[in-house]
Amino acid sequence: MKKYLVCCLILIGIAACSTRDHRELPNDILTDKTLIGSWKLDNYKVSGVTKGYYRGFQFEGTVSSFGKNYQMFFTFHHDHRLELKGRFTMVTTSTTNNITQKLERDVQIINGFSNQATWEIQSNSIYIHSKEGIYEIPYTLHESGEVELNFPIHQINDVNHIEVRTQGIQTVELVKIGAY
């Protein structure tokens, strides 16, 4: 009987280890030491909705973007400066009043990040301090070492003298390429 009890306890222990939520693992916590260094942009996407007014009429639509031709690099320095170099191609599709438009352009900056910014880690977020404001960017650290940043977008843009408000989620995935 004791053998069966011991076997059951071992099996329960093995099962508990194999089904444990990966968020509980200690290496899922991003530290300054982990973040400091150079990272390459590996994936970029945006999903959101747009609203605006034109000649007294309200309009609504959707917007989505994805990146390609990634040659953009983020360097998180020891002194908490953030440096961006390079560019990538952003492909944006927007639909308003059943009209779809597609725009493809090279970009050198991502909303919320700039070369004049500093960074700090608090809890499960990276805070970016720039001249535009302070951005709280929640992160997920994957087992592969890739960092995924997902944060809300609340923008007001002037498009051909029309105020367009965009709300959505921006996802930035970074892969570390070297220590600083």
Side-chain angles (χ1 to χ4, degrees), residues 131-144:
K131 63 183 177 183
E132 292 83 24
I134 299 173
Y135 298 88
E136 178 185 0
I137 305 172
Y139 71 83
T140 302
L141 181 60
H142 296 286
E143 290 178 16
S144 64

Side-chain angles (χ1 to χ4, degrees), residues 18-167:
S18 65
T19 59
R20 190 168 75 176
D21 181 357
H22 79 280
R23 289 297 300 155
E24 295 176 14
L25 298 174
N27 63 354
D28 279 355
I29 297 171
L30 193 60
T31 64
D32 286 6
K33 184 177 179 180
T34 308
L35 188 59
I36 291 171
S38 295
W39 298 75
K40 183 177 183 187
L41 178 63
D42 188 52
N43 192 21
Y44 175 84
K45 60 187 172 188
V46 171
S47 178
V49 295
T50 57
K51 293 181 181 182
Y53 288 93
Y54 178 69
R55 295 186 179 177
F57 295 100
Q58 181 178 344
F59 62 87
E60 294 183 12
T62 60
V63 64
S64 63
S65 297
F66 68 90
K68 63 181 188 177
N69 306 325
Y70 297 112
Q71 291 301 316
M72 178 170 266
F73 303 90
F74 292 62
T75 302
F76 294 87
H77 292 278
H78 289 289
D79 62 1
H80 291 256
R81 285 181 301 113
L82 175 61
E83 181 180 1
L84 278 81
K85 288 184 180 179
R87 64 182 62 228
F88 70 101
T89 303
M90 182 187 305
V91 180
T92 301
T93 303
S94 60
T95 303
T96 304
N97 295 338
N98 296 320
I99 298 171
T100 300
Q101 296 180 336
K102 189 173 183 177
L103 173 66
E104 189 169 318
R105 63 178 189 209
D106 282 345
V107 295
Q108 294 178 303
I109 195 77
I110 296 175
N111 184 39
F113 298 93
S114 74
N115 278 321
Q116 305 300 318
T118 59
W119 61 272
E120 67 177 309
I121 299 172
Q122 291 182 15
S123 301
N124 288 344
S125 294
I126 298 173
Y127 285 80
I128 303 295
H129 302 263
S130 70
K131 63 183 177 183
E132 292 83 24
I134 299 173
Y135 298 88
E136 178 185 0
I137 305 172
Y139 71 83
T140 302
L141 181 60
H142 296 286
E143 290 178 16
S144 64
E146 183 175 89
V147 173
E148 181 179 310
L149 307 171
N150 291 295
F151 54 103
I153 297 173
H154 301 286
Q155 288 182 310
I156 300 174
N157 294 317
D158 184 328
V159 179
N160 297 326
H161 305 291
I162 301 169
E163 183 179 285
V164 178
R165 297 176 180 265
T166 304
Q167 292 188 330

